[in-house]
C-alpha cells in the first residue's frame, strides 16, 4: 500500500486547467515563488553541472561559447604548499600515526582470472632473484635492455621499476647474474679458446705512458692514453668512463668524456660500480656530444668484465632498447678492467675505511688493489695504509663471487696491473678492433712483452675456482645463452612465481 500524496493530484489538475494550448494563464499564489525569484533560482541552477562542477565562465545561459579569459599568473612569488591558508587546494597528506594497508600484487588474481603466460618474465622476478638477494652487480644492463624505459636507477644505486612492467623478459635475459649465461657469451664473442686459460689474445704487453699527467693515473695510465688517441684520431666521439661525485668523495659516477682534458682529469680507478650500461641514453649527454646524426656516433666504453658482457649481449640482438638504443649501438670500442670484485661504496669508504680505520674520504689521494692488498695513498702519493683484501669481504658486492671473468673475455682490450712491474699496465689485445686502438696509441707508449703472463693465469684460475664454489647453477659454456627463470629458481631456491606472491 503506497502513501497518499493529496496535493500532487490537485496541483496537476490545476495546472491542466490553467495551461492550455501552450499558454499559461494562472496567477501565482502566495506560496509560489515570484517570477523574479524563479529567474534567480533558474540562474543558480544553471551554474550547476550534472558532474558536480560549475558552468564554465565563457559559456552563456544559451550554451554559446564566448571568449576565453585567462587569469594572469602571480610573478616573483612561490606558492607555499605547506601553508593551507596560502594553498587551500593542496591535497591533505596521510595523518600522523596512520599506516595505509596497500594491497599487494596478488590482488590482481582476485580481480580477474587471467593467467600469466608461462613465457613472460617480469622485473619482479629479477628483483626477487637478484636485487633482493643482494646479488646485483650494478652494471645497469637491465636498465638499457628495457624496451619500455620502465627501469630506472634508485637512490640506492640499484635498478628500480619506475613505471609499469610489460613482462617482456629482457631485463632478466641480459642480467649477468640472472638470465645471461655469461660463460656462453664468452664463447660467442671469442670462440672456444675463450673458455680456458686467459682466452686467446692477439698479443699482450706491459706498457706505460711517459707524459707528465701519468702520475695522477692508475698504474701505467694506458687506458687514458688509448682513449685520448682514439679521440684525437677521430675514431670515437667520446668515452663513457667513471668520474668522482661532487657530493661524495671517492664515489664513482658515469661520465662521458669528449676531450683530452676531461680524460686526463678523470684518470684513475674507483672501486664501486656506476650502473654504466644504464647511462647510455644519448639525450643524457647531448650537450657534450658533437651535432651529428646519433646513428653516426662512435663511443668507447670502459668497464668491468660483467659490464662488457652485458653490452656485447645487447648488441647481438636487433631489438629496440628505446632511450638507450642509440647509445648501445654507438659503442664501438670496449676496454675491460681486470677485476676480481667490486665494492659497495657506503660499506667500503664509509664503514670499513672511515668508521673502522679512521681513514676519511677527503684524505685519500688514490686507492689500489694490488698483490692481494687494499692500498690507500694520500694526495702526495705516499702509502698510508695497506691491508689484506680479504678483510674487506663484507664490503664487496656479493654477486662478484659468482664471476669467473677476471680478464674481461668479451672486451676488445683488457687492462690491469697484474702481470706487470709497478707503474706499468698489463694490456691484453683480444680483437682486431682492440688492435686498432693499440696501433694508434703505441708510438707514445713505453712497452715490452707482457712481463709475467703466469701471474695473470694464476689469478684467473683462482677467480674461476671461487666462482665455481659460489655458483649455484651449472657452469656450462655450451648451454643456451639465456637461462629460464624457472631453471634459475630451481637452482637457487628462489620464489618461482613472485608476481603472484603478495609483494
Amino acid at each position: 500500500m503506497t502513501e497518499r500524496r493529496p496535493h500532487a493530484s490537485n496541483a496537476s489538475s490545476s495546472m491542466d486547467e490553467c495551461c492550455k494550448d501552450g499558454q499559461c494563464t494562472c496567477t501565482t499564489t502566495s506560496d509560489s515563488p515570484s517570477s523574479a525569484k524563479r529567474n534567480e533560482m533558474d540562474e543558480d541552477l544553471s551554474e550547476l553541472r550534472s558532474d558536480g562542477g560549475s558552468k564554465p565562465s565563457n559559456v552563456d545561459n544559451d550554451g554559446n561559447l564566448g571568449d576565453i579569459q585567462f587569469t594572469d599568473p602571480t610573478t616573483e612569488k612561490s606558492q607555499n604548499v605547506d601553508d593551507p591558508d596560502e594553498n587551500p587546494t593542496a591535497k591533505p597528506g596521510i595523518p600522523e600515526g596512520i599506516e595505509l594497508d596497500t594491497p599487494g600484487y596478488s590482488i590482481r588474481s582476485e580481480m580477474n582470472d587471467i593467467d600469466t603466460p608461462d613465457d613472460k618474465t617480469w622485473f619482479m622476478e629479477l628483483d626477487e632473484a637478484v636485487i633482493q638477494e643482494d646479488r646485483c652487480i650494478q652494471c645497469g644492463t637491465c636498465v638499457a635492455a628495457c624496451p619500455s624505459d620502465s627501469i630506472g636507477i634508485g637512490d640506492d644505486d640499484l635498478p628500480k621499476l619506475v613505471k609499469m612492467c610489460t613482462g617482456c623478459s629482457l631485463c632478466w635475459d641480459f642480467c649477468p647474474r640472472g638470465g645471461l649465461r655469461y660463460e656462453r657469451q664468452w664463447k660467442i664473442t671469442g670462440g672456444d679458446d675463450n673458455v680456458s686459460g686467459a682466452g686467446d689474445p692477439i698479443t699482450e704487453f706491459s706498457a706505460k705512458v711517459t707524459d707528465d699527467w701519468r702520475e695522477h693515473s692508475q698504474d701505467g695510465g694506458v687506458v687514458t692514453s688509448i682513449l685520448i688517441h682514439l679521440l684525437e684520431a677521430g675514431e670515437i666521439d667520446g668515452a663513457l668512463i667513471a668520474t668522482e661525485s661532487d657530493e661524495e668523495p671517492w664515489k664513482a659516477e658515469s661520465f662521458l668524456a669528449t676531450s683530452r682534458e676531461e680524460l686526463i682529469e678523470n684518470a684513475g680507478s674507483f672501486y664501486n660500480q656506476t650502473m654504466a650500461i644504464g647511462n647510455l641514453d644519448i639525450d643524457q649527454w647531448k650537450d657534450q656530444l658533437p651535432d651529428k646524426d646519433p646513428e653516426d656516433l662512435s663511443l668507447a666504453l670502459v668497464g668491468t668484465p660483467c659490464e662488457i658482457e652485458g653490452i656485447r649481449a645487447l648488441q647481438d640482438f636487433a631489438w629496440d632498447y628505446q632511450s638507450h638504443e642509440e647509445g648501445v649501438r654507438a659503442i664501438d670500442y670496449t676496454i675491460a678492467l681486470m677485476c676480481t670484485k667490486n665494492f659497495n661504496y657506503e660499506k667500503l669508504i664509509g664503514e670499513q675505511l672511515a668508521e673502522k680505520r679512521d681513514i676519511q674520504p677527503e684524505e685519500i689521494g688514490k686507492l689500489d688493489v694490488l698483490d692481494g692488498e687494499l692500498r690507500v695513498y694520500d694526495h702526495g702519493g705516499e702509502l698510508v695504509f695497506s691491508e689484506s683484501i680479504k678483510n674487506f669481504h663484507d664490503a664487496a658486492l656479493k654477486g662478484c663471487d659468482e664471476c669467473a671473468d677476471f680478464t674481461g673475455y668479451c672486451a676488445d682490450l683488457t687492462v690491469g696491473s697484474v702481470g706487470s712491474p709497478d707503474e706499468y699496465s698489463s694490456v691484453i689485445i683480444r680483437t682486431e678492433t682492440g688492435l686498432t686502438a693499440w696501433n694508434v696509441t703505441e708510438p707514445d707508449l713505453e712497452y715490452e712483452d707482457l712481463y709475467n703472463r703466469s701471474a695473470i693465469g694464476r689469478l684467473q684460475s683462482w677467480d674461476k675456482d671461487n666462482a665455481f664454489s659460489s655458483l649455484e647453477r651449472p657452469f656450462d659454456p655450451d648451454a643456451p645463452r639465456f637461462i629460464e627463470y624457472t631453471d634459475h629458481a630451481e637452482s637457487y631456491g628462489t620464489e618461482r612465481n613472485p608476481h603472484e606472491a603478495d609483494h
Side-chain angles (χ1 to χ4, degrees), residues 15 37 45 59 61 101 137 209 243 285 315 355 413 450:
M15 186 66 72
K37 183 65 174 177
L45 288 172
V59 177
N61 290 335
D101 186 15
I137 48 177
V209 172
T243 190
W285 310 109
Q315 290 179 329
E355 294 179 13
L413 301 105
L450 184 61

Side-chain angles (χ1 to χ4, degrees), residues 86-231:
E86 289 193 35
N87 186 33
T89 61
K91 294 181 180 180
I94 302 172
E96 283 189 29
I98 300 298
E99 293 186 7
L100 294 181
D101 186 15
T102 305
Y105 191 86
S106 63
I107 197 172
R108 180 177 69 87
S109 60
E110 299 172 19
M111 297 175 65
N112 61 61
D113 57 358
I114 300 174
D115 293 329
T116 301
D118 292 335
D119 60 349
K120 272 185 174 286
T121 306
W122 305 79
F123 176 81
M124 196 167 290
E125 273 129 334
L126 179 72
D127 188 41
E128 174 77 15
V130 178
I131 302 170
Q132 297 303 320
E133 288 295 317
D134 200 23
R135 297 175 58 245
C136 178
I137 48 177
Q138 297 175 296
C139 62
T141 307
C142 60
V143 179
C146 183
S148 58
D149 287 341
S150 296
I151 306 174
I153 303 172
D155 293 337
D156 56 1
D157 298 320
L158 293 172
K160 176 184 178 181
L161 198 66
V162 295
K163 62 181 180 181
M164 187 177 70
C165 174
T166 63
C168 72
S169 309
L170 295 187
C171 64
W172 170 258
D173 290 341
F174 289 111
C175 173
R177 294 299 169 268
L180 181 65
R181 195 184 308 272
Y182 65 79
E183 66 271 23
R184 176 62 177 161
Q185 186 63 40
W186 301 352
K187 195 168 182 178
I188 291 170
T189 302
D192 290 339
D193 291 332
N194 248 13
V195 179
S196 60
D200 187 24
I202 294 175
T203 188
E204 302 158 300
F205 298 102
S206 293
K208 72 174 182 178
V209 172
T210 57
D211 295 352
D212 293 339
W213 57 259
R214 186 185 63 80
E215 63 183 75
H216 300 293
S217 66
Q218 201 80 4
D219 306 315
V222 172
V223 171
T224 302
S225 184
I226 288 173
L227 296 176
I228 289 173
H229 283 80
L230 286 174
L231 192 64

Side-chain angles (χ1 to χ4, degrees), residues 19 41 66 85 100 123 147 164 170 245 255 335 349 379 416 434 482:
C19 294
M41 291 171 62
D85 294 331
L100 294 181
F123 176 81
M164 187 177 70
L170 295 187
S245 166
F255 178 70
I335 302 177
I349 303 297
H379 292 282
F482 300 123

